[in-house]
Amino acid sequence: MIVAANWKMNPALDQASVLATALASQSFPKIKRILFAPHPYLVPMSVRLTSAGLEIGGQDCHFADHGAFTGDVSAAMLRDCGASLVLLGHSERRAAHGETSEIVAQKTTAAMAQNLDVMLCVGETKAERDDKKAEQVVIDQLQASIPKHAPPNRLIIAYEPVWAIGTGAVASPDDVAAMHNVIASVLAERYGANHAPSILYGGSVNADNAASLFSIPLVGGALVGGASLEAGAFAAICAAAQAANSLRVDL
Ligand code: 13P
């Protein structure tokens, strides 16, 4: 099980420091914890948290190695600042920065070339779900965003329905299970069932709904936005993941 915090463009540096202290004091040895921190915080967070067992990731990278791209960062820069992975294709970047799946694929190739793991986000809008196009949209995003030669052991998929992000409207267990099945079959077709990457759910995950989401067999963890800014809520989600993990191992 993987629980990833996406801080997005939050919090202020002093609050980030308080959160880091809390994260470092919590211990969840049976799951993987990841923090996608704002780029200026990567160095302090990796210094403070890798020794506490967290993996640190950037929230985006450019597809070029270097050059005249004001405001952008390269995959190598993320790696040199202590990141071991990068979040790519988040719907907020697809919507606000015009990122197409083809651009996401280029970024994925660049990140993997620098030995970064990639957490790749896919998900449909409310209008696409209402139009019964959700599955096709997600299949198309997967096919176009995952480069041909991307090794499965460097890839994690995060299914984040856009309408569930930051709204409190979590997808129903049936909808999550159905979409994770669709994603799993796309990945199995490409990689074989035994090598398929993990699939996380994201979108209004909180301390109250985490256990029920983690009881869905193909849900390999969560990508958490708002609740990752509260140390207690994030710890509760990690505890739910660890409990689900133990249950799966027992089975
Ligand atoms: P929320 O958990 O705030 O809905 O955000 C989800 C998300 O976008 C994580 O990447």
Side-chain angles (χ1 to χ4, degrees):
M1 295 292 271
I2 301 170
V3 181
N6 177 10
W7 283 359
K8 310 190 179 184
M9 201 170 70
N10 300 294
L13 183 60
D14 56 347
Q15 278 309 305
S17 178
V18 172
L19 264 178
T21 304
L23 287 173
S25 71
Q26 298 158 0
S27 172
F28 295 99
K30 296 194 181 126
I31 61 167
K32 183 191 275 207
R33 286 186 299 162
I34 297 169
L35 169 60
F36 292 106
H39 294 161
Y41 300 170
L42 284 175
V43 170
M45 290 305 142
S46 65
V47 167
R48 291 183 63 175
L49 295 176
T50 21
S51 55
L54 277 98
E55 290 192 29
I56 305 297
Q59 296 177 5
D60 180 47
C61 70
H62 201 277
F63 50 76
D65 288 346
H66 59 269
F69 301 107
T70 302
D72 282 311
V73 299
S74 70
M77 288 171 182
L78 296 181
R79 194 207 50 220
D80 290 347
C81 287
S84 56
L85 70 171
V86 60
L87 189 64
L88 292 176
H90 193 283
S91 61
E92 286 152 13
R93 292 207 60 87
R94 289 181 189 259
H97 296 266
E99 263 185 33
T100 61
S101 290
E102 290 68 28
I103 293 173
V104 175
Q106 284 180 279
K107 292 181 172 196
T108 301
T109 300
M112 289 179 171
Q114 295 297 332
N115 294 325
L116 292 178
D117 290 349
V118 171
M119 188 177 292
L120 200 152
C121 304
V122 292
E124 81 285 358
T125 62
K126 174 87 171 62
E128 288 162 345
R129 177 154 287 270
D130 291 346
D131 277 359
K132 312 235 173 304
K133 291 183 183 146
E135 294 190 356
Q136 196 54 50
V137 164
V138 167
I139 291 169
D140 292 347
Q141 286 176 343
L142 287 168
Q143 302 289 20
S145 303
I146 305 174
K148 236 195 188 87
H149 302 294
N153 59 343
R154 286 231 166 272
L155 188 64
I156 302 164
I157 302 298
Y159 167 55
E160 296 204 303
V162 178
W163 48 271
I165 294 177
T167 58
V170 70
S172 75
D174 282 353
D175 286 346
V176 174
M179 190 62 87
H180 278 238
N181 264 309
V182 168
I183 296 171
S185 13
V186 172
L187 297 173
E189 222 168 86
R190 217 183 249 242
Y191 294 119
N194 292 337
H195 299 284
S198 298
I199 311 163
L200 313 191
Y201 170 80
S204 296
V205 176
N206 60 34
D208 296 329
N209 60 27
S212 104
L213 285 163
F214 296 152
S215 69
I216 302 167
L218 282 171
V219 172
L223 177 56
V224 186
S228 73
L229 298 168
E230 299 162 43
F234 191 68
I237 295 166
C238 290
Q242 189 153 281
N245 206 39
S246 308
L247 208 63
R248 287 181 193 183
V249 172
D250 287 350
L251 289 173

